[in-house]
Each structure stands twice: as structure tokens, then as C-alpha cells.
Amino acid sequence: MPDREHNAEQRESDAERRRRRAQFLRDLREARELRERVQPRRARAARMRQAMRMRTFRW
């Protein structure tokens, strides 16, 4: 029976980890959107650098 308890505990912690990760990603996206509104020129330059990195990336 200890294996069953450990397995249930593991699933719960995985769900908790996914929930925290989803919250983190939402917060990160919100922060990026805010930064784009506050510093549009810098945000545009960052997007251009990212696009250049993606164009020169070799698959």
C-alpha cells in the first residue's frame, strides 16, 4: 500500500507543479506585454533581435 500512497502523492505534486508553471508563464507573458507597452522601442528592438536569431538558427 505505501506504493499506492506514494503514487497518489506524486500525481498530486505533478499537478501542483504544472499549476505553478502555468501561473508563472501567465505572469511572464503579462510582464512582457506590460514592458512592450511601457518601452515600445526597446521591445521592438528585442523582437527584431529574436527574429534575427530565429532566421540564423540552423535546424
Side-chain angles (χ1 to χ4, degrees), residues 5 8 10 13-14 21 32 34 36 39 43 49 59:
E5 289 176 13
Q10 182 66 31
S13 66
D14 286 347
R21 182 175 186 273
R32 285 182 175 155
L34 176 64
E36 282 191 21
Q39 300 175 331
R49 284 193 300 273
W59 297 99

Side-chain angles (χ1 to χ4, degrees), residues 24-38:
F24 169 76
L25 292 175
R26 279 192 299 271
D27 291 345
L28 183 62
R29 187 176 63 234
E30 182 181 338
R32 285 182 175 155
E33 289 170 358
L34 176 64
R35 187 172 56 200
E36 282 191 21
R37 284 195 306 271
V38 173

Side-chain angles (χ1 to χ4, degrees), residues 35-52:
R35 187 172 56 200
E36 282 191 21
R37 284 195 306 271
V38 173
Q39 300 175 331
R41 185 178 298 162
R42 187 175 295 175
R44 181 176 184 273
R47 279 196 309 273
M48 298 300 250
R49 284 193 300 273
Q50 176 66 14
M52 184 60 72

